[in-house]
Amino acid sequence: MPAVTMDQLVSLCKRRGFIFPGSDIYGGLQGTYDFGPLGVELKNNLKAAWWRANVYERDDMEGLDAAILMNRLTWKYSGHEETFTDPLVDCRSCRSRWRADHIKDTCPNCGSKDLTEPRPFNMMFKTQVGPVADDGSYAYLRPETAQGIFVNFNNVLATTSRKLPFGIAQIGKAFRNEINPRNFIFRVREFEQMEIEFFVMPGTEDEWHQRWLDDRLAWWRSVGLSSDNLQVYTVPKADLAHYSKATYDLMYRFPIGFEELEGIASRSDYDLGSHSKEQDSLGLSAKVGRNDDSTAKLTYFDPESKRHLVPFVIEPSAGVDRGVLALLTEAYDEQQIKPVTPERAQAVADALAAFVKSVGRSEKLPAEQRDAMLERAELIGKDMAASMAQIPALLDMPGASSIELGKKLRGQADPALDESYRTVLHLKPALAPIKVAVFPLKRNAPEIVATARQIRKSLQADGDMRTVYDDTGAIGKLYRRQDEIGTPYCITVDFDTIGQGKDATLSGTVTVRDRDTMQQERVPIAELQTYFRGRV
């Protein structure tokens, strides 16, 4: 059963080392998250796949890594100082703050309708540059990676001799002082973008806009997102950003519903025109503010027409963090692999009922936490057989740790889950944080352990197939652990492998288990490299 709530993903991510709350030991910092040992691998794999597809596999793209800190005039002429705002309202009753377009005239915290009038709030983070704090020594943490590409347009053009159409790709950090970060890593204050600015001849932008939409849809499908969970939203003209001629939003079905995964904007000649000097001589189609500070014309010399022109821009821009969240959502699955005994099922049901009563009576829990917990528990109780695997996520919800009977519920549920259920991430093998896990059948058998460790070392020798050794539990439990983190293949080294089993023909072979089918086959150690390279 796929993930139906964000709580299931949050629970898995923290439990297995994908994502942790930022600064957790000090109470955290809202809107910040740390990617753990598995999360950083998944994130890096996603970025590598994007870079390979858009830079290495195309002949019309260059890469860039621009500075996070830029001259603040960049943000003046890009329009961010004036327009990069959200509507902010305050609740006069509880003093909380909200984005006006995210609430319906009612404070989500206390239910009050006594709200201030919306006012613009600029989301850029200011920071001090240099030792003296004054009005002329501040800069911004970039709110997007795009502007670093635009101000480097002439540099890239001069050093690569590119001809239109061509693009510049960049992956990097961006920062937005969100009024109310929410929904795990979907909306945060520090995030990464995978962004392309693709420069085209004026008049060809509509064709290229459609081509990039088709390309980006195909790529997200190639990394594992299903067509059923992807939608294209054409942004109405009234809602377009100030620079946009037209924008498509690729929407993905997250546990919170369809939300933006990637934007593909046709930005006309606004950006290069805004950062250019002597704009009146450029024949711009976009309306730009006068720029008296730029020292360059960001133009392209067209050898056919023998004139300088300002290219139009198509911008596919995706959030890395949202991409990771989409992959986890798509890959997440809860499967019942054998029936739970009636006695154990009843014990879990009784423990759940007692937990629910305790939650309902608790005076420690805020109403919002209590209601969310009761709603989730009720859904689990309606179909215990299908939903029992959601109990760990229920017990990891905010406030659940204050309910003493949660320990009893976990104690009853864990044995049933270990025996009859598995959580599995059906990640594409190339994206999986760990590609292969190697287990010794018996961890106190020196020859088996040595063989297993040597297999792990040889598989990871080339540095492109992350392999781990694990002997911290029974084989069945180790399989479940690797299923839960998305490892596509597990190897078990046993007595047959070292020639001490009953079947002499199996000497020098190991058992390889497939994550998705749970099928096992014997493979010679000498053929493992070839076996996995064809699959991973």
Side-chain angles (χ1 to χ4, degrees):
M1 180 178 184
V4 294
T5 70
M6 197 69 85
D7 292 317
Q8 290 169 280
L9 298 179
V10 173
S11 175
L12 171 67
C13 286
K14 187 171 183 179
R15 184 172 69 251
R16 289 304 185 198
F18 282 93
I19 302 167
F20 308 124
S23 314
D24 198 21
I25 66 169
Y26 292 109
L29 179 63
Q30 188 183 23
T32 63
Y33 289 90
D34 300 329
F35 282 75
L38 295 178
V40 71
E41 295 289 345
L42 177 57
K43 191 176 188 181
N44 286 342
N45 290 344
L46 177 64
K47 292 189 291 185
W50 185 91
W51 194 264
R52 184 169 57 249
N54 290 293
V55 180
Y56 295 167
E57 295 177 5
R58 298 180 66 105
D59 58 6
D60 57 3
M61 195 73 66
E62 299 289 349
L64 183 74
D65 184 9
I68 289 173
L69 293 176
M70 304 178 71
N71 188 305
R72 69 183 182 86
L73 291 173
T74 303
W75 307 107
K76 173 183 176 180
Y77 291 110
S78 69
H80 282 78
E81 281 192 333
E82 182 179 352
T83 64
F84 198 67
T85 60
D86 276 340
L88 170 66
V89 296
D90 294 286
C91 175
R92 293 189 178 96
S93 298
C94 69
R95 300 179 182 241
S96 58
R97 287 178 168 167
W98 306 91
R99 267 184 61 169
D101 56 340
H102 284 172
I103 63 176
K104 298 179 179 179
D105 301 320
T106 302
C107 174
N109 189 50
C110 68
S112 173
K113 293 184 178 293
D114 188 11
L115 306 175
T116 63
E117 288 297 314
R119 62 191 186 279
F121 169 76
N122 194 292
M123 295 185 292
M124 287 194 291
F125 282 101
K126 269 188 177 181
T127 188
Q128 200 67 43
V129 177
V132 179
D134 57 38
D135 290 342
S137 63
Y138 69 87
Y140 299 104
L141 300 182
R142 65 183 181 194
E144 64 178 27
T145 58
Q147 300 306 317
I149 295 177
F150 295 133
V151 301
N152 276 291
F153 175 77
N154 280 0
N155 292 331
V156 174
L157 194 61
T159 55
T160 64
S161 301
R162 282 287 183 177
K163 294 182 179 180
L164 291 183
F166 77 95
I168 301 175
Q170 180 171 208
I171 299 175
K173 289 274 192 178
F175 305 83
R176 296 181 183 179
N177 194 11
E178 293 282 353
I179 295 169
N180 190 27
R182 67 195 193 285
N183 293 323
F184 194 30
I185 59 172
F186 179 80
R187 189 176 299 281
V188 290
R189 291 187 169 122
E190 178 184 338
F191 56 97
E192 276 191 277
Q193 289 182 299
M194 303 181 292
E195 198 155 51
I196 293 167
E197 305 303 330
F198 196 77
F199 303 98
V200 303
M201 291 290 292
T204 66
E205 67 275 8
D206 292 344
E207 173 194 349
W208 277 105
H209 197 200
Q210 182 63 46
R211 287 175 66 172
W212 271 108
L213 171 64
D214 296 340
D215 283 354
R216 298 308 302 139
L217 276 170
W219 185 80
W220 282 112
R221 294 187 189 111
S222 77
V223 296
L225 303 190
S226 69
S227 297
D228 291 343
N229 289 331
L230 288 166
Q231 288 182 353
V232 178
Y233 174 68
T234 302
V235 178
K237 286 197 177 294
D239 296 335
L240 290 173
H242 65 279
Y243 54 74
S244 179
K245 176 185 175 185
T247 297
Y248 298 121
D249 284 346
L250 297 190
M251 313 290 281
Y252 180 75
R253 194 200 308 267
F254 294 99
I256 54 176
F258 276 100
E259 295 286 350
E260 182 186 348
L261 174 64
E262 177 168 2
I264 304 167
S266 180
R267 298 178 69 124
S268 72
D269 53 6
Y270 174 85
D271 302 285
L272 295 180
S274 292
H275 290 301
S276 289
K277 68 176 183 178
E278 301 173 13
Q279 296 153 316
D280 292 342
S281 67
L282 301 180
L284 298 174
S285 66
K287 183 179 179 181
V288 300
R290 180 180 175 87
N291 191 328
D292 293 321
D293 294 295
S294 176
T295 61
K297 290 181 181 180
L298 303 184
T299 60
Y300 169 81
F301 180 74
D302 178 29
E304 291 190 11
S305 64
K306 307 221 181 293
R307 64 187 180 94
H308 288 273
L309 57 87
V310 178
F312 275 39
V313 178
I314 307 300
E315 178 194 72
S317 177
V320 178
D321 308 70
R322 289 188 184 186
V324 169
L325 186 59
L327 291 176
L328 291 171
T329 301
E330 187 80 38
Y332 189 95
D333 195 11
E334 292 172 350
Q335 299 175 348
Q336 185 175 6
I337 53 179
K338 60 184 280 192
V340 183
T341 63
E343 297 80 7
R344 196 177 290 283
Q346 187 60 52
V348 176
D350 292 344
L352 178 63
F355 175 79
V356 167
K357 284 184 180 179
S358 184
V359 171
R361 291 194 299 260
S362 175
E363 296 180 356
K364 300 178 182 178
L365 293 172
E368 187 177 353
Q369 290 183 0
R370 182 181 65 246
D371 293 345
M373 224 178 299
L374 290 173
E375 180 182 3
R376 177 54 43 204
E378 182 181 354
L379 290 174
I380 294 173
K382 282 182 178 178
D383 189 356
M384 182 68 78
S387 303
M388 189 181 293
Q390 296 180 32
I391 288 176
L394 168 69
L395 296 175
D396 285 337
M397 290 179 71
S401 60
S402 67
I403 306 300
E404 189 65 27
L405 285 175
K407 296 177 183 177
K408 181 178 179 182
L409 175 57
R410 194 182 295 274
Q412 293 292 346
D414 280 353
L417 295 176
D418 287 344
E419 289 177 7
S420 302
Y421 293 84
R422 73 168 185 155
T423 298
V424 56
L425 289 180
H426 298 286
L427 294 167
K428 290 273 188 177
L431 295 176
I434 295 169
K435 306 297 189 278
V436 183
V438 186
F439 313 139
L441 183 65
K442 194 171 183 181
R443 64 183 178 185
N444 60 356
E447 194 172 347
I448 289 179
V449 169
T451 302
R453 289 190 179 278
Q454 180 56 42
I455 290 172
R456 186 215 66 83
K457 184 177 180 181
S458 65
L459 288 178
Q460 194 166 287
D462 291 340
D464 59 355
M465 190 159 59
R466 179 81 193 278
T467 308
V468 298
Y469 169 89
D470 194 354
D471 62 4
T472 58
I475 294 297
K477 205 170 192 68
L478 296 178
Y479 282 156
R480 296 289 181 268
R481 181 183 301 165
Q482 296 300 324
D483 289 345
E484 197 168 34
I485 63 176
T487 304
Y489 298 102
C490 294
I491 293 173
T492 301
V493 178
D494 55 23
F495 286 100
D496 285 321
T497 305
I498 60 174
Q500 297 179 16
K502 295 180 180 179
D503 189 344
T505 64
L506 297 179
S507 179
T509 69
V510 293
T511 299
V512 177
R513 174 189 181 267
D514 182 278
R515 173 197 67 200
D516 297 326
T517 66
M518 295 188 285
Q519 297 298 310
Q520 301 181 16
E521 62 176 312
R522 298 296 294 200
V523 178
I525 294 174
E527 297 176 12
L528 287 174
Q529 286 278 2
T530 303
Y531 180 91
F532 290 123
R533 295 227 171 269
R535 291 164 172 79
V536 174

